[in-house]
Amino acid sequence: MSKQLIFGHKNPDTDTIASAITYDYLKKQLGYDTEAVALGEVNGETQFALDSFNVKTPRVIETASNEVKDVILVDHNEKQQSVSDLDQLTIKEVIDHHRIANFETAQPLYYRAEPVGCTATILNKLFKEHNVTIPKEIAGLMVSAIVSDSLLFKSPTCTQEDIDAAKELASIAEVDVEVYGLEMLKAGAYLSDQSIDDLLTLDAKTFELGNSQVEIAQVNTVDPNELLEQATDIKAEMTNKINDKNLDLFVFVVTDILANDSIVITLGSQKDAVEKAFNVTLVDDTATLKGVVSRKKQIVPPLTDALS
Amino acid sequence: MSKQLIFGHKNPDTDTIASAITYDYLKKQLGYDTEAVALGEVNGETQFALDSFNVKTPRVIETASNEVKDVILVDHNEKQQSVSDLDQLTIKEVIDHHRIANFETAQPLYYRAEPVGCTATILNKLFKEHNVTIPKEIAGLMVSAIVSDSLLFKSPTCTQEDIDAAKELASIAEVDVEVYGLEMLKAGAYLSDQSIDDLLTLDAKTFELGNSQVEIAQVNTVDPNELLEQATDIKAEMTNKINDKNLDLFVFVVTDILANDSIVITLGSQKDAVEKAFNVTLVDDTATLKGVVSRKKQIVPPLTDALS
């Protein structure tokens, strides 16, 4: 049996990295030759989680077909979010919690998707199904993933299964999920020394909504005002990106992880769609979206409707 | 919670019908409002299985959006094999053992695919995961599905998991799997009073391989020569279907369930692909494929390569 690489999506977040490492552990226990790798440098929040549980950061790869024939995808399935040479590889397994799109295989495979808030919640079930014990450091990474994807259970993507799994795993990891979780989220929040380019790219995703090219970047913070003071510079850089990437809309989402609201700064020819989608009036291209924290569940669907 | 319809693919076979009925039973035990339906009349083999275990034949639907919003697919995922108005429905779940292609959702869903020989083998795991007991008649249908898809464990698609599941289920169903299985396969094999149109449509699937539209129909028999005597009429009808459906290739697979070989009759502009795929020379558009019994594992992959 030849070696298989396991990886999550580009612009990796905590769930993607933690799930690759976690599934790699499980597959090794089951006798497979696997390695967890990353499709980009880990962010501050993920590094905090890795350091907290003393787990090595996975190496970054650009392509996989130069090393292996077979791969396992976690936390994603869409081709454009994956390794660039996916077409030259056999996808043996997918463990994911997103919609399925831009995905095709020539052969049957193991595909496990569930509509839960976090890939780690599904992996928790797989350990049980295979009767494998979760070690402390792996449980710690899995809690981190659930806290990250659910913003400490406050995101509408969070299900009861995620909450139950996080409690179980926190007990194995010997952490207080509320205390550890907030610390981890703060470690990943905006830091005053971050460049504006980083803010607009580190957690950015491109979507085709209706016929519009839309870029949605998101940053977490405990102090949105500190960020909004730089609005003029942020807007200048957003305009550059709109021109460079030929975008119809750029939405920059500043999420207040303590208040659980988001402030959006938006530019582009389809700017009106934001007013329509969220029933708000933009003042200086900016509006507050009360209770909105999830790009996947609270931003993309209403914007899709407004642009269709 | 609104009602959900559960169905397998068009031109239903025993696994598709048995899996819809089986999963419907499980979902009902879990408190869901579901109904198993079929996308076509059942074949002789499936009717034998239903009659053997005294289970009602599911009603046939043409479209689903006139009845429900949400559906569950079993034993298939490709759009062209599913209900015609799939685009207007929300796919809540898929339980399948085929490759994934021509499949896309707007929302996350439960997707469970495993590279085993039969959907019923996966369903057997789901009963265990949910701690639900399998009643005798459902176990009987599940054994029937495994026997059918694996040609009594002789197909290369058959895995150890399928064999283990079939043994377990045969014991619940109180049947001798070898005796019952052969009886069931014979009930589904070619009967001399079947029309040529039935032969070419009852177990036919359409595939897009490379850029070619390919139809592959399969029939089981205990006496291939009886069928091949009608080759002229069969080819005339195949030509009609190629013209009607604008096909690039039609492959008619006559599988000898006692010898475990298949004879193919093939027509269409891409006929050469069959010679290339199986390294055979067609004589009168016909060739014997030694040891080939599985459309999914032994016919589609080499044809995909030959047409790409």
Side-chain angles (χ1 to χ4, degrees):
Chain A
M1 204 170 43
S2 60
K3 182 174 170 177
Q4 304 179 19
L5 292 181
I6 304 179
F7 46 82
H9 55 75
K10 286 180 184 161
N11 295 333
D13 57 14
T14 301
D15 186 26
T16 253
I17 297 291
S19 293
I21 295 171
T22 299
Y23 199 45
D24 176 52
Y25 176 84
L26 176 58
K27 290 299 283 185
K28 282 195 170 85
Q29 300 307 305
L30 299 173
Y32 289 82
D33 179 15
T34 52
E35 182 190 355
V37 292
L39 302 190
E41 299 297 334
V42 304
N43 64 33
E45 180 192 279
T46 308
Q47 195 59 59
F48 178 91
L50 291 165
D51 292 345
S52 298
F53 297 99
N54 215 3
V55 176
K56 223 180 105 211
T57 309
R59 72 184 167 97
V60 175
I61 62 160
E62 298 280 336
T63 56
S65 60
N66 49 312
E67 300 186 43
V68 294
K69 282 183 181 156
D70 299 335
V71 295
I72 294 173
L73 312 187
V74 294
D75 195 34
H76 76 296
N77 66 82
E78 299 196 40
K79 197 173 143 173
Q80 74 279 9
Q81 297 167 6
S82 199
V83 78
S84 59
D85 57 348
L86 194 63
D87 283 345
Q88 296 164 55
L89 295 153
T90 300
I91 303 167
K92 299 299 267 187
E93 300 187 31
V94 178
I95 319 288
D96 191 21
H97 67 124
H98 296 90
R99 71 171 194 151
I100 301 176
N102 304 307
F103 181 84
E104 182 162 320
T105 64
Q107 294 289 334
L109 74 164
Y110 183 89
Y111 198 112
R112 180 75 170 255
E114 302 197 19
V116 292
C118 180
T119 306
T121 302
I122 306 168
L123 292 173
N124 189 41
K125 291 191 190 182
L126 293 185
F127 275 91
K128 290 178 187 173
E129 288 166 22
H130 289 291
N131 228 342
V132 174
T133 308
I134 305 177
K136 184 178 168 182
E137 73 279 8
I138 295 291
L141 291 184
M142 292 168 84
V143 177
S144 304
I146 299 174
V147 165
S148 172
D149 268 16
S150 71
L151 277 180
L152 248 176
F153 317 130
K154 282 167 193 150
S155 168
T157 57
C158 185
T159 68
Q160 190 58 44
E161 292 195 55
D162 297 299
I163 298 169
D164 294 345
K167 282 183 185 160
E168 240 176 75
L169 293 161
S171 140
I172 301 170
E174 296 172 23
V175 292
D176 178 317
V177 65
E178 297 286 339
V179 175
Y180 168 76
L182 193 60
E183 236 183 306
M184 187 199 76
L185 288 178
K186 278 184 181 166
Y190 167 68
L191 296 169
S192 49
D193 62 354
Q194 260 182 310
S195 75
I196 286 173
D197 188 59
D198 275 359
L199 286 177
L200 297 178
T201 54
L202 276 184
D203 184 13
K205 283 187 181 170
T206 308
F207 300 87
E208 199 175 311
L209 307 182
N211 291 315
S212 303
Q213 284 298 115
V214 181
E215 182 97 357
I216 309 177
Q218 186 170 24
V219 66
N220 291 341
T221 176
V222 288
D223 182 5
N225 290 326
E226 188 187 3
L227 251 164
L228 294 173
E229 279 165 12
Q230 304 179 65
T232 311
D233 293 342
I234 290 171
K235 285 201 260 184
E237 185 57 31
M238 283 167 70
T239 303
N240 288 340
K241 295 204 184 295
I242 287 169
N243 293 335
D244 288 355
K245 298 176 85 170
N246 228 335
L247 301 171
D248 302 297
L249 182 64
F250 196 122
V251 184
F252 178 48
V253 184
V254 178
T255 299
D256 183 333
I257 56 173
L258 300 180
N260 293 307
D261 296 324
S262 291
I263 293 155
V264 291
I265 304 178
T266 182
L267 288 177
S269 61
Q270 293 288 355
K271 212 170 65 169
D272 292 354
V274 173
E275 297 198 321
K276 195 178 153 198
F278 303 102
N279 199 18
V280 292
T281 307
L282 293 168
V283 178
D284 287 340
D285 310 311
T286 303
T288 299
L289 309 183
K290 298 298 287 179
V292 170
V293 295
S294 164
R295 174 166 52 194
K296 181 164 81 170
K297 203 130 177 179
Q298 296 174 295
I299 296 178
V300 171
L303 262 185
T304 305
D305 288 345
L307 287 164
S308 293
Chain B
M1 205 170 42
S2 60
K3 182 175 170 176
Q4 302 178 18
L5 292 181
I6 303 179
F7 47 83
H9 53 76
K10 285 179 185 164
N11 298 332
D13 58 13
T14 302
D15 186 25
T16 252
I17 297 291
S19 293
I21 295 171
T22 299
Y23 200 45
D24 176 53
Y25 176 84
L26 176 57
K27 291 298 282 184
K28 282 195 171 86
Q29 300 307 305
L30 299 173
Y32 289 83
D33 180 13
T34 53
E35 182 189 353
V37 291
L39 303 190
E41 298 298 335
V42 303
N43 64 33
E45 179 193 279
T46 308
Q47 194 62 57
F48 179 91
L50 291 165
D51 292 345
S52 298
F53 297 100
N54 213 2
V55 175
K56 222 180 106 212
T57 309
R59 72 183 167 98
V60 175
I61 62 162
E62 297 280 335
T63 57
S65 62
N66 49 312
E67 300 186 43
V68 294
K69 284 184 180 154
D70 299 334
V71 296
I72 294 173
L73 312 186
V74 294
D75 195 35
H76 75 297
N77 67 84
E78 299 195 42
K79 195 173 143 174
Q80 74 279 8
Q81 297 168 5
S82 197
V83 77
S84 58
D85 56 347
L86 194 63
D87 283 344
Q88 297 163 54
L89 295 154
T90 300
I91 303 166
K92 298 300 268 188
E93 301 186 31
V94 178
I95 319 288
D96 191 20
H97 68 125
H98 295 90
R99 72 172 193 150
I100 301 176
N102 305 307
F103 182 83
E104 180 162 323
T105 65
Q107 295 289 333
L109 74 164
Y110 182 89
Y111 199 111
R112 180 75 171 258
E114 302 196 18
V116 291
C118 180
T119 306
T121 302
I122 306 169
L123 291 173
N124 189 41
K125 291 191 191 181
L126 292 184
F127 275 91
K128 291 178 186 171
E129 288 166 22
H130 289 291
N131 227 342
V132 173
T133 307
I134 304 178
K136 183 179 168 181
E137 74 279 9
I138 295 291
L141 292 184
M142 293 168 84
V143 177
S144 305
I146 299 173
V147 165
S148 173
D149 269 16
S150 71
L151 278 180
L152 249 177
F153 317 130
K154 282 169 193 149
S155 168
T157 58
C158 185
T159 68
Q160 191 58 45
E161 291 195 57
D162 297 298
I163 298 169
D164 295 345
K167 284 182 183 161
E168 238 176 78
L169 293 161
S171 140
I172 301 171
E174 296 171 25
V175 291
D176 179 317
V177 66
E178 298 286 340
V179 175
Y180 168 75
L182 193 60
E183 233 184 310
M184 186 198 78
L185 288 178
K186 281 186 179 165
Y190 167 69
L191 296 170
S192 48
D193 63 352
Q194 261 183 311
S195 74
I196 287 175
D197 188 60
D198 274 359
L199 286 178
L200 296 178
T201 53
L202 276 183
D203 185 13
K205 282 186 182 174
T206 310
F207 299 87
E208 200 175 311
L209 307 181
N211 290 316
S212 303
Q213 285 298 115
V214 181
E215 183 98 355
I216 308 177
Q218 187 169 22
V219 66
N220 292 340
T221 176
V222 288
D223 181 5
N225 290 325
E226 187 187 4
L227 251 163
L228 293 172
E229 281 165 11
Q230 305 178 64
T232 311
D233 293 341
I234 290 172
K235 285 200 260 183
E237 186 56 32
M238 281 168 72
T239 303
N240 289 341
K241 295 205 184 296
I242 288 169
N243 294 333
D244 287 354
K245 298 174 86 171
N246 229 333
L247 301 170
D248 302 297
L249 183 63
F250 196 120
V251 185
F252 178 48
V253 184
V254 178
T255 300
D256 184 332
I257 56 172
L258 300 179
N260 293 306
D261 296 323
S262 291
I263 293 154
V264 292
I265 303 178
T266 182
L267 289 176
S269 60
Q270 293 289 353
K271 212 171 64 171
D272 291 354
V274 172
E275 298 198 321
K276 195 176 152 199
F278 304 102
N279 199 19
V280 292
T281 307
L282 293 167
V283 178
D284 287 340
D285 310 313
T286 302
T288 299
L289 309 183
K290 296 298 289 178
V292 170
V293 295
S294 164
R295 173 167 51 195
K296 181 165 82 169
K297 202 130 176 178
Q298 296 175 295
I299 296 178
V300 171
L303 261 187
T304 305
D305 288 346
L307 287 164
S308 294

